[in-house]
Amino acid sequence: MFPSSSSRMIRRRRTEATKPVDDTCCESCGSGDSPAELLLCDKCDRGYHMFCLRPILVSVPRGSWFCPPCSKPNLTSFPLVQTKIIDFFRIERNNLSTHKPTNQESRKRKKRSSCISMKKKLRRLLPFVPTQDPNRRLQQMASLATALTATRTEFSDKLTYTPGMAPRSANSPALEREGMQVMSREDSETLNLCKKMLEGGEWPPLMVVFDPQEGFTVEADKSIKDLTIITEYTGDVDYLKNRENDDGDSIMTLLSTSDPNKSLVICPDKRGNIARFINGINNHTQEGKRKQNLKSVRFNVNGECRVLLIANRDIRRGERLYYNYNGYEQEYPTENFL
């Protein structure tokens, strides 16, 4: 996310409004204070503070902007038909709901579990545990398909490198400003197991729901243990310098370098997965810290920077998921976050 623009910029952006900004009050809080943060809808001329919107806007949108009542998403009803879900997520049909761990995998997972209980300091990551009911998994996948369809986002469960953006060669963990932790062999095996389960239709126990204030958001559909891999943050990889004026609300830091021209971000606006619908939290307040149940962690995985969202405590069924947007960098302002 990027800092807000000045009031002069906002006034210039909203020249087509029929009411002067000084006479406009926010439809959400009823106040006309903070005119520098007040946006006017290009359709109905109603005003909203950027920090009163959910999700908030941290910079003035480029081009036209429409308020929540004028831009309610078309919540596509995605049919719970197994073949369509398989096609949407490109699930391997011959592996659907049939993945069973080999004896070797079972031994490794049992050994890893005992290691965690006896030696917590090792902090090994855990694979997600899919819901046993296949029909419920279809509903979970359908909820994500609905959100992706409504936001015109193509499903992608990996980082993508598109011509005109950053090339794959730019994603070098060696360029990280203060060094990047290398994912251990055991955790790499766990991550690969999660990917394999996804390919076979064994889905994380997550449900995408629509909230009038927060927009699309994600809830735990069953209890999730601390240190469980929730998802990898995916999307198009681009240079930060190309996105400094981007009005997207889901951009994630991928590589933070000493040379700003080489820093990278993940942009899930065109391609992405469930991570783009999980909300960042205001991690500067006690309330924000209390609600936070995920952490975003950047790893060196086989010579490539990757971002994982990981449970940082046990999560109850029905809890909404919130991660530490800043991680440990404190780079972006989050005082107006939920």
Side-chain angles (χ1 to χ4, degrees):
M1 301 298 182
F2 308 103
S4 303
S5 299
S6 66
S7 59
R8 182 177 302 174
M9 175 64 75
I10 293 177
R11 291 168 186 266
R12 247 195 339 256
R13 290 268 187 192
R14 305 293 157 228
T15 53
E16 296 181 5
T18 58
K19 294 188 295 184
V21 175
D22 294 339
D23 296 336
T24 302
C25 293
C26 175
E27 296 292 325
S28 180
C29 69
S31 170
D33 296 340
S34 302
E37 301 291 327
L38 198 60
L39 294 180
L40 296 186
C41 176
D42 285 310
K43 183 175 182 180
C44 69
D45 275 356
R46 286 182 290 189
Y48 287 83
H49 287 123
M50 292 194 291
F51 52 78
C52 286
L53 295 168
R54 293 294 182 269
I56 69 165
L57 289 179
V58 294
S59 63
V60 179
R62 292 180 294 179
S64 299
W65 176 80
F66 302 102
C67 67
C70 293
S71 59
K72 287 184 178 179
N74 178 19
L75 300 183
T76 306
S77 176
F78 204 91
L80 297 180
V81 179
Q82 186 169 341
T83 54
K84 289 186 178 296
I85 295 293
I86 290 173
D87 293 338
F88 190 95
F89 293 108
R90 300 188 290 277
I91 294 172
E92 296 181 8
R93 294 169 185 267
N94 57 337
N95 289 338
L96 183 64
S97 303
T98 60
H99 172 73
K100 296 186 182 299
T102 62
N103 290 336
Q104 183 179 8
E105 285 179 334
S106 298
R107 284 197 298 272
K108 287 180 180 178
R109 291 175 67 176
K110 288 179 181 178
K111 182 177 180 181
R112 190 177 302 128
S113 298
S114 61
C115 190
I116 288 176
S117 60
M118 297 175 62
K119 298 180 180 179
K120 182 87 174 197
K121 63 181 181 180
L122 294 179
R123 307 290 288 177
R124 300 299 186 204
L125 301 181
L126 298 174
F128 63 79
V129 179
T131 302
Q132 292 301 309
D133 181 359
N135 290 327
R136 188 60 178 176
R137 288 208 299 271
L138 286 175
Q139 293 173 11
Q140 293 163 357
M141 287 186 276
S143 72
L144 174 57
T146 298
L148 291 170
T149 302
T151 55
R152 296 182 177 86
T153 305
E154 177 186 340
F155 174 75
S156 176
D157 207 38
K158 61 183 179 180
L159 296 178
T160 47
Y161 299 89
T162 305
M165 298 186 188
R168 190 185 191 101
S169 59
N171 186 359
S172 172
L175 298 176
E176 177 67 21
R177 184 169 48 201
E178 297 180 0
M180 180 175 292
Q181 59 181 313
V182 178
M183 178 170 278
S184 68
R185 178 176 60 83
E186 292 85 356
D187 288 345
S188 293
E189 291 175 352
T190 300
L191 179 59
N192 290 335
L193 174 60
C194 290
K195 295 286 187 180
K196 188 173 183 180
M197 287 193 289
L198 285 171
E199 291 171 358
E202 294 184 301
W203 214 249
L206 306 173
M207 188 73 74
V208 183
V209 298
F210 185 78
D211 182 276
Q213 289 190 320
E214 297 186 37
F216 287 111
T217 185
V218 180
E219 295 180 352
D221 205 34
K222 62 179 289 187
S223 59
I224 299 174
K225 290 185 177 181
D226 182 22
L227 294 180
T228 296
I229 296 177
I230 301 299
T231 185
E232 179 179 350
Y233 213 99
T234 64
D236 292 330
V237 178
D238 200 2
Y239 289 109
L240 173 60
K241 63 182 180 181
N242 295 339
R243 299 285 177 153
E244 289 181 340
N245 296 315
D246 198 300
D247 58 0
D249 61 357
S250 302
I251 295 176
M252 168 67 72
T253 298
L254 177 63
L255 179 64
S256 183
T257 65
S258 300
D259 181 355
N261 291 323
K262 295 183 179 180
S263 292
L264 301 178
V265 291
I266 303 172
C267 310
D269 51 334
K270 295 182 179 178
R271 280 165 284 275
N273 61 5
I274 199 168
R276 73 158 294 180
F277 301 114
I278 299 177
N279 287 330
I281 196 68
N282 182 348
N283 49 3
H284 295 302
T285 67
Q286 288 301 318
E287 176 66 12
K289 292 176 181 177
R290 184 187 65 80
K291 292 172 67 174
Q292 177 189 323
N293 47 25
L294 305 182
K295 59 182 176 180
S296 55
V297 186
R298 292 181 292 150
F299 285 103
N300 175 347
V301 183
N302 299 323
E304 182 181 46
C305 302
R306 308 266 283 276
V307 180
L308 300 184
L309 299 183
I310 300 168
N312 67 353
R313 60 172 172 80
D314 290 344
I315 302 173
R316 302 183 305 275
R317 180 180 180 181
E319 264 193 81
R320 289 195 178 172
L321 303 186
Y322 297 98
Y323 65 91
N324 56 328
Y325 188 83
N326 280 323
Y328 300 105
E329 301 167 28
Q330 306 301 321
E331 186 174 351
Y332 304 117
T334 63
E335 61 270 14
N336 292 319
F337 277 33
L338 295 172

